Amino acid sequence: MSSDTATRLEHDSLGEMAIPSTAYYGIQTQRALDNFHISGIGINHFPNLIRAFGMVKKACAAANRKLGYLTDDKYKVIAQACDELIAGQLHESFCIDVFQGGAGTSTNMNANEVIANRALELLGFHKGEYEHLHPNDDVNLSQSTNDVYPTAVRLGVVLSHDELMKALDGLAYEFRQRGVEFADIIKLGRTQLQDAVPMTLGQEFEAFAINIREDIARGDEIVKLFREVNLGGTAVGTGINTEPEYSNLAIEELAHICGFEMVRAANLIEASWDMGAFVLYSGMLKRIAVKLSKIANDLRLLSSGPRGGLNEIALPPMQPGSSIMPGKVNPVIPEVVNQVCFQVIGNDMAVTMAAEAGQLQLNVMEPVIVYNVLSSMQLLVRAAKTLAEKCVSGIQANIEACRRHVEASVGIVTALNPYIGYEKSAALAKEALKSGRTVRELAIEKGWLTEAQLDDILDVAKLTAPRRRGRKIVAGS
């Protein structure tokens, strides 16, 4: 029999199964692989989740050793196996579908089995020889899925958060650079898709940057909630099968391993079922998505044309836009960002419904909560980087189109309000639109303002910031 087809026999409370002899996972993982053919996406799609499990299992092993329940030899090989997970090794052995019943038990046992079998190798034994080191009795010692899984998934979010914030910061930086570059380009501001008042293109892009940086600040605050964990609560938060000192010891070890301050929840029973941190963080991800989608919409509008639209900016041409219209180039990068944002918004609804579905002392829907939050984070990271690198960094301003829109608009009549009043300003706007003449020439013709006064009032550069108006001009004076 070749090594590719060789198997080993393992058993659990339901019976026996043949497991590939080379597999680091065991029988409970195999049952999950057989039972959950759902999405085709394995939990190893999220490397930080696997790394977090390695950290949690190592912390628990260290606490058990300190309390005298785990020998130094067993601790050493368990810790080494966990270090390999943390370093990104053995992740291919975590192939259970992200959609799974059992409140994460399959994922926890996947970790227990992989760590146990790797530890057995380090001890010089074969995979599956659990009489020497057992997935449950040794790797899962003093633990339950119901405290290990929530702790690991929270840490997985914390580990992934920094990458998301860096991607958003990079996008904000590119918008800020365009804001500086376009600082002196006058353009027409618009409200409700109608002409409003002059502004600069730089101001528009600076606002995009500030908008994103607001969410970086909010995200850094909200993610701190995930540092409060229920490790040591075991099944329902009462800490059954643990020593009184175990919870604090394990969390202290976890903080040392992961490099973040981790805090024991004030009430482990409540912390075992509460999904509030996920709801809040997912809501923040939705907020980011809503904002990014709005910005993507603006970029598509501002670049519309090139002849029949606003054409105030030009996006970098990334690929031909049509199979039938030669020369057409579409705003494909903002379009894909829009689609990512729609997905993230939908993911948030799934998180909301799953968080509400918790019952009594456990929320069994946590796997789908974790999947949607981590998935949204990955999507937003990639979308932000793509938008920054393939779109915003190469945006060019169409200076002449920007100025032409300002000069042709009656929106500048707003600047006359403080000097001739709203009624006369509205009359000027109406007549200008009807006749095709400019606001300037009509105001002079009616004798409401002088040419010199209009030169000062309608200086478009002065219309983009607050200014002292001085003495109110009386009409006809």
Side-chain angles (χ1 to χ4, degrees):
M1 183 177 296
S2 70
S3 60
D4 291 339
T5 58
T7 60
R8 65 178 188 267
L9 200 61
E10 291 195 14
H11 71 275
D12 61 12
S13 60
L14 296 183
E16 294 184 335
M17 289 187 74
I19 310 297
S21 60
T22 57
Y24 282 97
Y25 58 78
I27 185 170
Q28 294 203 41
T29 301
Q30 185 63 59
R31 291 195 189 281
L33 290 172
D34 293 342
N35 289 335
F36 306 129
H37 293 282
I38 307 298
S39 69
I41 302 171
I43 56 176
N44 54 11
H45 186 72
F46 305 106
N48 282 330
L49 179 59
I50 310 304
R51 293 179 59 226
F53 265 97
M55 293 177 183
V56 172
K57 291 296 179 180
K58 183 178 180 180
C60 293
N64 283 317
R65 182 186 63 163
K66 286 184 177 181
L67 292 169
Y69 288 98
L70 198 64
T71 66
D72 288 344
D73 288 343
K74 286 186 175 181
Y75 167 74
K76 182 179 179 180
V77 291
I78 289 174
Q80 184 174 335
C82 290
D83 285 338
E84 292 180 8
L85 294 186
I86 295 168
Q89 301 173 39
L90 303 173
H91 285 205
E92 67 279 1
S93 298
F94 290 80
C95 42
I96 299 173
D97 200 287
V98 291
F99 288 87
Q100 54 186 263
T105 296
S106 296
T107 299
N108 183 38
M109 284 307 303
N110 195 167
N112 290 333
E113 290 171 345
V114 171
I115 293 168
N117 281 311
R118 177 57 182 144
L120 284 169
E121 279 188 335
L122 294 170
L123 287 172
F125 299 107
H126 294 104
K127 300 182 186 72
E129 294 183 343
Y130 298 136
E131 65 270 22
H132 302 291
L133 191 149
H134 199 278
N136 295 82
D137 295 338
D138 295 307
V139 181
N140 202 58
L141 181 62
S142 305
Q143 301 158 56
S144 164
T145 293
N146 300 349
D147 66 330
V148 167
Y149 186 85
T151 298
V153 297
R154 281 162 172 76
L155 181 55
V157 173
V158 173
L159 294 173
S160 302
H161 173 79
D162 190 51
E163 184 181 7
L164 174 58
M165 294 302 107
K166 285 182 178 178
L168 292 174
D169 184 69
L171 178 58
Y173 172 83
E174 291 297 342
F175 276 123
R176 169 65 176 152
Q177 297 313 298
R178 300 294 80 69
V180 173
E181 182 182 345
F182 304 152
D184 297 325
I185 300 175
I186 300 295
K187 62 156 285 174
L188 183 63
R190 299 174 179 86
T191 59
Q192 295 166 278
L193 295 180
Q194 306 299 305
D195 297 358
V197 297
M199 63 185 300
T200 70
L201 190 60
Q203 287 174 324
E204 191 162 29
F205 275 75
E206 177 72 19
F208 292 153
I210 294 299
N211 190 260
I212 294 168
R213 292 199 187 282
E214 286 178 349
D215 284 332
I216 295 173
R218 297 293 80 73
D220 286 340
E221 286 296 318
I222 296 172
V223 77
K224 294 176 182 177
L225 295 174
F226 289 108
R227 298 184 186 180
E228 180 181 296
V229 296
N230 70 327
L231 192 60
T234 64
V236 298
T238 60
I240 190 172
N241 291 348
T242 67
E243 291 286 328
E245 303 88 356
Y246 169 78
S247 178
N248 287 328
L249 282 174
I251 294 172
E252 180 182 308
E253 290 288 344
L254 181 58
H256 175 71
I257 293 167
C258 71
F260 298 104
E261 180 185 2
M262 305 299 288
V263 180
R264 186 177 188 267
N267 187 295
L268 297 184
I269 294 175
E270 181 270 345
S272 295
W273 57 259
D274 177 48
M275 297 291 108
F278 288 102
V279 173
L280 195 57
Y281 194 83
S282 179
M284 187 271 297
L285 297 177
K286 179 178 73 172
R287 168 176 151 152
I288 293 171
V290 169
K291 290 184 174 189
L292 283 184
S293 190
K294 188 272 183 191
I295 291 172
N297 290 340
D298 285 355
L299 295 178
R300 291 194 293 122
L301 277 172
L302 293 172
S303 65
S304 60
R307 298 291 176 85
L310 298 183
N311 192 31
E312 292 183 349
I313 61 173
L315 306 184
M318 300 308 297
Q319 60 191 67
S322 174
S323 62
I324 191 174
M325 293 172 280
K328 189 171 188 286
V329 179
N330 294 329
V332 294
I333 302 302
E335 287 172 354
V336 77
V337 171
N338 280 130
Q339 293 172 64
V340 165
C341 293
F342 303 156
Q343 183 63 56
V344 171
I345 292 167
N347 289 351
D348 178 66
M349 177 56 73
V351 170
T352 301
M353 297 304 296
E356 184 275 336
Q359 297 167 322
L360 304 177
Q361 279 67 60
L362 184 66
N363 190 316
V364 302
M365 309 303 175
E366 196 164 3
V368 76
I369 292 175
V370 176
Y371 165 68
N372 280 284
V373 169
L374 293 178
S375 179
S376 290
M377 295 175 77
Q378 280 190 351
L379 287 170
L380 287 172
V381 166
R382 294 165 185 168
K385 288 182 176 180
T386 300
L387 185 60
E389 296 168 5
K390 296 183 180 295
C391 181
V392 181
S393 65
I395 289 177
Q396 300 292 317
N398 188 337
I399 299 174
E400 292 307 314
C402 288
R403 179 171 291 278
R404 184 169 62 251
H405 292 153
V406 173
E407 293 176 348
S409 171
V410 299
I412 57 175
V413 77
T414 302
L416 305 186
N417 282 355
Y419 303 97
I420 63 175
Y422 182 89
E423 296 293 338
K424 285 186 171 62
S425 296
L428 278 179
K430 184 176 181 180
E431 187 173 346
L433 285 171
K434 184 176 181 179
S435 66
R437 300 172 67 188
T438 68
V439 169
R440 180 188 183 89
E441 64 180 303
L442 288 172
I444 293 173
E445 180 181 284
K446 294 178 183 297
W448 290 348
L449 293 166
T450 67
E451 192 165 345
Q453 289 168 339
L454 284 165
D455 284 341
D456 180 58
I457 297 169
L458 298 183
D459 182 342
V460 281
K462 294 179 181 179
L463 293 176
T464 60
R467 62 176 295 201
R468 295 191 181 279
R469 297 193 300 270
R471 181 179 66 84
K472 182 178 179 179
I473 300 171
V474 178
S477 62

